[in-house]
């Protein structure tokens, strides 16, 4: 059983309370919690796209595989060109090989962390097969974080059936962990099972969780409500999320707000305002990228039609 | 197994007789030592004692409707008592019995008293005439009990002669004899033994009738309880209950249920099933033999008397098991789970739980899970059981029984902790197990304290109740989050937002926040029964006899009193919803003003306070005292009219102006004095002066003037003193003013010549000194021995800065909110739109107002019609979308798990509508559909619609760190799970388009034609991307297309005339006609203008417009010709070519737009339509596809 501090750290990470996690003070370096906490904090930095912050935290001479893994992931996420990305990926591949060996003196948990980190990076690079292989998809491991990543990869390639299998398998040993519930709710988000009741109750429950608060949860519930067709409820969630983020919406919330604005009876101007804000501030958000792609597809397709002169 | 719930217990001498008061919580107990006690068993206090009997008192009864008590003792006397506290006394004594009296009873309607005695007789007494009116003889031994039948004219008696007898007393009622005592022989005529019931082998101690059925129960020394049935003409033994192992003292029927309750000298109270004659439960007492048992006539309450006192007990919990979700109350009544909607009042049975646990015990708790629509119920029988059952969706004709699919198990408490988890407590093993919905254990928890109850503790948490504390326990983490020391917590109630929780114990309430970091404790002397949170965050709770409130900081008070306990379920505004003791939902209306006011005060919500003040007639002395005590005298000040209180408050909060004002009206010296003191403290010497003046406090006033350096006032004071003839005061003032001459003159006036002389001398007034000497008849030589003093330099200090006109500066308190509000008068203060759901209509009203304003705005536009100047308007450039061009980077999926079918593919597959294909991102198929269905060839104008529809059909969420977010697809039928039916969200709907269209109408009315044109065009664009699901919608869709097209064609001004032929709405038609008149008149086409004017008149326009129109007609008459010839024949029906705006008369060849159906001259075939620039004119098309349902 994790100590309660570490449990709390893990819970914050799982529920995407990255900001508060980053602000935590690290435990004593001799404490057994030190490295795991450091790993989670660094991962929170990465999740916030502050890879420099993550790298700064990790001593460069560390021999710990988990820390090395985090550093590599940070380098991958932070890399601007292909070569350094490849280098970071190679590094992770080496680490994976290292922990496979029997003589590796890393703890089981750290090995698990490395797999998750590597799997994340491979998934980011679009190497689905390699990612799934690394995460041990379909095998009988007990690494819940790996399951979570696996499930998300399956979902992203439209294989909710496999995702559900993976989830069912882990249900047997994962003791009703928060992460397990998150996985369950993610699956339902994609499949629309039971009118999205799983994610709806999960996020509503977690919002009432006394031990943390995370605007992500609000955004997530808002998105769930959008999916359920409750547009005005969704909008109020987003607004509250923005106010919790100090008035500046993060990419996820802003994107969701754009979507929501387009659905209700909102003024066209509002939609465009959100949209241009999103395009300006987060040009790499998948929504922006995707819509831009679609827009060019449109032009191409429209050109195929012959337009006669105006009557 | 003992489920007897002791409510009250007293210690005393042996209790031989017991009687409940029918309406009040009173119990009379007659004791072996001759005393009769009257207990309030709810409060647990001895109310009264009646001690006039000599020797043991065995018989006692309370009158069913009057405040009367009757007792019968071993002194052969029957006494009737008035039990009203103000005139409690023995009213009269009935003499006649010749031995111990065993029982007495009042008749339920006649003024009769029934008594049974060891003298082998039963007597009936008239309590009005105080005579014995009947003696029933026949028993051959002591008569141990006699009871009236609850309805009929029958009496049942039990005797040591081993018989039970039923007596017919109907004759007594018919001709109530009013004979003098002593003439017994007349009685036997009308009181006859009806049945003699033989069967007991020993003396019978007690017999009584069933309240409704023709049954009798008897208890005897043969240790048996016998049940007898009566018919019209006979009575027989039905059965016997065996089980007592000593004499049975009393056996009675349960007033409500089919049960018999008995007690005996074997120290037990036993409960029997009336139909099965089997023992249901037994309650044992260590040392005390039971002698008597009484049932409350209305309530589920019993009393038993034993060797050392009495106990009052319930056989079953009355507290119904219930759970509240949203506005629905789920509760159990008579072993049925029911749902009660507090808004509609619908109350339906959903589930039978008859087969769950003991049939005699109602379920104890119910926990409801809205996500699964399931309940977990617990019952205390069989050492605790739980059952998980889902509720049926709707109330079916045949109510489902829980045993069909219920999942059961042992447990003392069971509650839902998440949508798919519930926790079960096993008290004996001290283990909490978390089950999933298939009832398999997913987790076991060893609680950190000895746990008696578990409650929901917020997300993934439990509240554990132990004997001395409550623990907030995290299930996930398996550890204690917080612990609060309290007496054992019995119920837990969460506020609606989950921020606060109320923990109810027997006599305390703890209000804590959700992580138990803050809490307050409230003590109650009366037992707390239940509670519920008000919408505003006030906790409303019920005790045995009150409904009270409690604020989060611990302030509490009474709202109203209760006759009987209720179980609060929900508080909504002024209405308290609750369940009564028989588990029937009811409501109580309360006045929430007081606690709302206090809450507003705590939150500094002055607006609401003001609102409350204005709208309620609250605010007696108590609220003022409350405000004062809570340190808000300045607020209290505003509520007070009484001038004395007002003055007190003003002084207390230092509001001198108000104090001065009220002091003036009161005008009593002590007020002025207090005002002066307060003003002095604050340095406001003007008010001090004023106060001193009022009280004629000259000394102080003078001193005040000295202190403030107000010399002229001092001299005035001198004059006043002079006038008053007060030399002392004159002297004082002269001294303060530094007026030496004044001083001297005072001294001279009062004859203190030596002092006057010296004063004059030392101040250098030698002449004056001489004068004084002379006046005193002395010379200088006489005062030789007076030492000579130098000239005195003593004088009042000079005024450096005059403060006479300055008050000590104090921080301006500013004008308080209340000052402003109250200055305006309470009636016209600012609007308070919303108070705690108290007045929700206000919000709606304001919305209406806004709407009304909008309307007015439109009228303004409309009124501006004189500026109607038709403008063909430049063509609007189609909006260009600037989008970044991206290379279509195909993401190459690796092998491994092959990618599945994306939801968007399903969308496209499931729908024939372009809109759904666009939402799916399948632009290519969408375009093809539009081309095929509507002949669209130019897609450029639709680009923004395409993009925005696509954009709003997908949401992104990253559940996990650093991974790319999941693309989620918004559906329009989220309840659908079959992949062949799911469809994308409808971004544009008929409804949204219609509202856009009305904007266009508005623009037309406002003479903003270019805007209107844009709107109509965009409406037609949007309609292309509206998915249709029903035939009605399809029809409406077509209507909208036509409507928008008509307006779009008609917009062109050069053809204003034709515009008038478009089918427009009458109001718009007027505009069209007027514009046409204007244009044609300008062009000197007076003849046509006049025609239009005539048509305009037909529409009954404004008088002003009528006048103009008449002018035009006149001009047309004067000058009936047209300067310019146009192709316009007003007589034939025709369509208008949307491009050339020439009429196409009926029967002429034309081509049409495949989408809008607009008409064109044949020469335009194959060209792009000029209205929308979308379609190829005359292209073949299939039209709107049929909706798939």
């Amino acid at each position: 059983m994790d100590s309660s501090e570490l449990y709390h750290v893990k819970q914050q990470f799982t529920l995407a309370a990255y900001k508060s996690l980053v602000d935590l003070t690290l435990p004593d370096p001799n404490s057994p919690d030190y490295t795991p906490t450091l790993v989670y904090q660094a991962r929170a930095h990465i999740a916030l796209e502050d890879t420099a912050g993550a790298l700064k935290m990790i001593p460069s001479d560390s021999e710990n595989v988990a820390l090395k893994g985090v550093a590599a992931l940070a380098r991958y996420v932070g890399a601007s060109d292909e070569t350094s990305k490849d280098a970071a990926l190679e590094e992770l591949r080496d680490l994976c090989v290292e922990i496979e060996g029997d003589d590796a003196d890393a703890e089981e948990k750290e090995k698990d962390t490395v797999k998750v980190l590597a799997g994340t990076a491979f998934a980011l690079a679009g190497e689905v097969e390699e990612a799934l292989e690394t995460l041990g998809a379909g095998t009988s491991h007990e690494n819940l974080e790996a399951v979570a990543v696996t499930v998300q990869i399956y979902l992203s390639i439209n294989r909710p059936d496999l995702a559900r299998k993976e989830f069912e398998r882990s249900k047997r040993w994962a003791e009703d962990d928060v992460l397990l519930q998150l996985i369950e709710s993610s699956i339902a988000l994609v499949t629309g099972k039971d009118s999205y009741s799983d994610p709806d109750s999960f996020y509503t429950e977690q919002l009432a969780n006394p031990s943390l608060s995370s605007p992500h949860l609000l955004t997530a519930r808002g998105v769930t409500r959008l999916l359920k067709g409750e547009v005005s409820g969704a909008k109020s969630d987003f607004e509250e999320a923005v106010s919790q983020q100090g008035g500046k919406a993060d990419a996820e919330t802003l994107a969701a707000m754009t979507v929501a604005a387009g659905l209700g009876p909102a003024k066209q101007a509002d939609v465009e305002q959100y949209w241009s804000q999103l395009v300006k501030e987060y040009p790499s958000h998948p929504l922006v990228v995707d819509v831009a792609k679609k827009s060019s597809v449109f032009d191409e397709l429209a050109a195929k039609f012959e337009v006669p002169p105006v009557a | 197994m003992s489920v007897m719930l002791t409510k009250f217990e007293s210690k005393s001498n042996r209790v031989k007789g017991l009687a409940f008061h029918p309406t009040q919580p009173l119990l009379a107990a007659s004791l072996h030592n001759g005393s009769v006690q009257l207990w309030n068993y709810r409060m647990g206090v001895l109310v009264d004692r009646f001690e006039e009997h000599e020797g043991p008192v065995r018989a006692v009864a309370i009158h069913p409707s009057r405040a009367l008590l009757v007792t019968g003792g071993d002194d052969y006397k029957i006494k009737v008592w008035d039990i009203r506290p103000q005139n409690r006394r023995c009213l009269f004594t009935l003499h006649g019995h010749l031995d111990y009296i065993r029982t007495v009873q009042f008749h339920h309607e006649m003024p009769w008293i029934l008594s049974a005695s060891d003298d082998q007789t039963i007597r009936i007494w008239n309590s009005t005439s105080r005579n014995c009116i009947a003696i029933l003889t026949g028993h051959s031994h002591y008569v141990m009990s006699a009871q009236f039948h609850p309805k009929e004219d029958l009496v049942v008696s039990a005797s040591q002669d081993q018989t039970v007898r039923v007596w017919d007393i109907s004759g007594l009622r018919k001709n109530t004899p009013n004979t003098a005592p002593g003439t017994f022989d007349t009685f036997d005529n009308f009181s006859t033994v009806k049945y003699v019931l033989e069967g007991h082998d020993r003396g019978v101690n007690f017999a009584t009738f069933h309240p409704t059925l023709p049954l009798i129960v008897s208890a005897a020394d043969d240790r048996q309880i016998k049940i007898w049935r009566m018919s019209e003409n006979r009575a027989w033994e039905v059965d016997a209950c065996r089980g007592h192992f000593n004499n049975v003292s009393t056996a009675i029927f349960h007033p409500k249920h089919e049960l018999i309750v008995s007690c005996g000298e074997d120290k037990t109270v036993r409960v029997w099933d009336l139909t099965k004659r089997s023992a249901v439960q037994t309650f044992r007492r260590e040392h005390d033999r039971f002698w008597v048992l009484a049932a409350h006539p209305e309530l589920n309450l019993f009393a038993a008397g034993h060797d050392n006192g009495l106990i009052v007990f319930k056989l079953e919990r009355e507290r119904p098991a219930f759970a509240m979700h949203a506005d629905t109350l789920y509760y159990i009544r008579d072993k049925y789970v029911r749902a009660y909607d507090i808004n509609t009042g619908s109350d339906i049975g959903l589930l039978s739980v008859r087969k769950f646990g003991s049939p005699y015990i109602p379920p104890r708790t119910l926990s409801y899970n809205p996500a699964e629509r399931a309940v977990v119920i617990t019952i205390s029988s069989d050492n605790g059981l739980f059952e998980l059952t889902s509720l049926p969706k709707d109330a079916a004709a045949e109510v489902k029984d829980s045993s069909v699919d219920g999942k059961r198990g042992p447990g003392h408490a069971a509650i839902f902790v998440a949508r798919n988890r519930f926790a079960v407590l096993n008290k004996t093993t001290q283990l909490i197990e978390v089950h999933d919905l298939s009832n398999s254990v997913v987790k076991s928890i060893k609680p950190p304290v000895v746990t008696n109850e578990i409650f929901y503790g917020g997300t993934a948490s439990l509240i554990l109740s132990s004997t001395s504390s409550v623990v907030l326990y995290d299930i996930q983490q398996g550890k204690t989050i917080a612990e609060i020391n309290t007496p054992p917590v019995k119920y837990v109630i969460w506020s609606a937002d989950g921020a606060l929780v109320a923990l109810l114990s027997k006599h305390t309430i703890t209000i804590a926040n959700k992580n138990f970091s803050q809490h307050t404790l409230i003590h109650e002397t009366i037992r707390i029964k239940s509670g519920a949170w008000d919408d505003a965050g006030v906790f409303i709770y019920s005790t045995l006899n009150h409904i009270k409130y409690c604020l989060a900081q611990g302030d509490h008070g009474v709202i109203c009193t209760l006759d009987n306990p209720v179980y609060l379920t929900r508080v909504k505004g002024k209405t308290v919803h609750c369940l009564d003791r028989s588990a029937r939902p009811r409501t109580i209306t309360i006045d929430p003003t007081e606690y709302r006011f206090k809450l507003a005060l705590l939150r500094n919500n002055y607006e609401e306070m003001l609102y409350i003040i204005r709208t309620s007639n609250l605010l007696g002395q108590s609220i003022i005292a409350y405000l004062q005590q809570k340190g808000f005298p300045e607020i209290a000040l505003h509520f007070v009219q009484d001038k004395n209180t007002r003055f007190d408050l003003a002084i207390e909060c230092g509001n001198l102006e108000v104090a001065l004002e009220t002091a003036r009206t009161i005008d009593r010296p002590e007020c002025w004095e207090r005002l002066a003191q307060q003003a002095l403290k604050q340095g406001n010497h003007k008010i001090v002066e004023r106060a001193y003046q009022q009280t004629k406090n000259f000394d102080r006033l003078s001193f005040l003037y000295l202190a403030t350096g107000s010399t002229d006032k001092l001299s005035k004071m001198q004059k006043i003193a002079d006038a008053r003839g007060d030399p002392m005061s004159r002297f004082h003032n002269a001294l303060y003013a530094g007026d030496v001459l004044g001083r001297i003159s005072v001294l001279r006036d009062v004859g203190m010549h030596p002092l006057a002389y010296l004063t004059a001398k030392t101040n250098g007034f030698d002449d004056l000194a001489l004068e004084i000497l002379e006046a005193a008849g002395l010379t200088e030589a006489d005062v030789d021995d007076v030492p000579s003093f130098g000239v005195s330099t003593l004088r009042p200090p000079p005024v450096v800065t005059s403060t006479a006109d300055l008050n000590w500066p104090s921080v301006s308190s500013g004008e308080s909110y209340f000052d402003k509000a109250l200055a305006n008068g309470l009636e016209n203060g600012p609007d308070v739109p919303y108070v705690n759901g108290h007045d929700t209509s206000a919000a709606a009203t304001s919305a209406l107002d806004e709407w009304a304003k909008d309307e007015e705005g439109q009228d303004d536009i409309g009124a501006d019609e004189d500026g109607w100047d038709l403008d063909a308007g430049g063509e609007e450039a189609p909006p260009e979308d600037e989008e970044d061009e991206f290379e279509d980077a195909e993401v190459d999926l690796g092998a491994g798990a092959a990618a599945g079918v994306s939801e968007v593919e399903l969308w496209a597959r499931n729908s024939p509508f372009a809109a759904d294909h666009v939402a799916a991102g399948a632009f290519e198929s969408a375009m093809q559909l539009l081309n095929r269905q509507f002949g669209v060839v130019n897609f450029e104008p639709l680009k923004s619609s395409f993009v925005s529809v696509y954009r709003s059909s997908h949401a992104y969420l990253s559940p996990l760190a650093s991974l790319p977010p999941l693309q989620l697809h918004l559906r329009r039928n989220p309840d659908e799970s079959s992949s062949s039916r799911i469809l994308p969200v409808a971004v544009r709907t008929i409804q949204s388009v219609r509202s856009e269209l009305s904007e266009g109408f508005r623009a037309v009315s406002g003479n903003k034609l270019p805007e209107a044109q844009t709107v109509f065009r965009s409406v037609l664009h949007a309609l292309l991307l509206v998915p249709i699901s029903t035939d009605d919608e399809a029809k409406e869709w077509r209507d909208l297309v036509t409507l928008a097209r008509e307006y779009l064609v008609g917009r062109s001004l050069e053809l204003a005339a034709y515009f008038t032929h478009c089918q427009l709405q009458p109001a718009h038609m007027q505009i069209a006609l007027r514009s046409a008149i204007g244009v044609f008149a300008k062009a000197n086409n007076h003849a046509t203008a006049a025609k239009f004017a005539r048509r305009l008149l037909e529409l009954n326009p404004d008088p002003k417009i009528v006048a103009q129109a008449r002018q035009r007609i006149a001009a047309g008459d004067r000058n009936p010709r047209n300067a310019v010839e146009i192709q316009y024949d007003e007589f034939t029906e025709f369509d208008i070519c949307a491009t050339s705006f020439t009429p196409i008369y009926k029967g002429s060849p034309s081509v049409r737009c495949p989408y809008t159906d607009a008409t064109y001259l044949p020469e335009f075939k194959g060209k792009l339509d000029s209205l929308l620039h979308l379609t190829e004119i005359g292209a073949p098309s299939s039209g709107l596809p049929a909706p798939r349902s």
Side-chain angles (χ1 to χ4, degrees), chain B residues 536 593-614 627 632 635 639 816-818 821 830-838:
Chain B
T593 321
E594 181 177 325
Y595 66 78
R596 285 221 172 116
F597 184 80
K598 290 186 179 178
L599 190 71
L601 184 68
L602 278 177
R603 295 184 177 166
N604 292 328
N605 187 348
Y606 295 132
E607 284 186 27
E608 183 170 334
M609 284 165 65
L610 198 63
Y611 180 80
I612 294 170
I613 296 162
R614 218 181 282 151
L627 284 168
F632 300 99
I635 294 171
F639 308 136
S816 83
Y817 178 86
F818 283 91
D831 279 342
V832 177
Y834 178 78
V835 177
N836 280 349
H838 189 192

Side-chain angles (χ1 to χ4, degrees), chain A residues 7 157 176 205 252 290 309 311, chain B residues 421 459 476 900 950 958 1168:
Chain A
Y7 171 85
I157 59 168
D176 213 20
E205 273 170 27
E252 193 169 64
D290 190 36
Chain B
R421 299 282 182 273
T459 302
Q476 286 282 336
Y950 177 72
S958 322
L1168 194 64

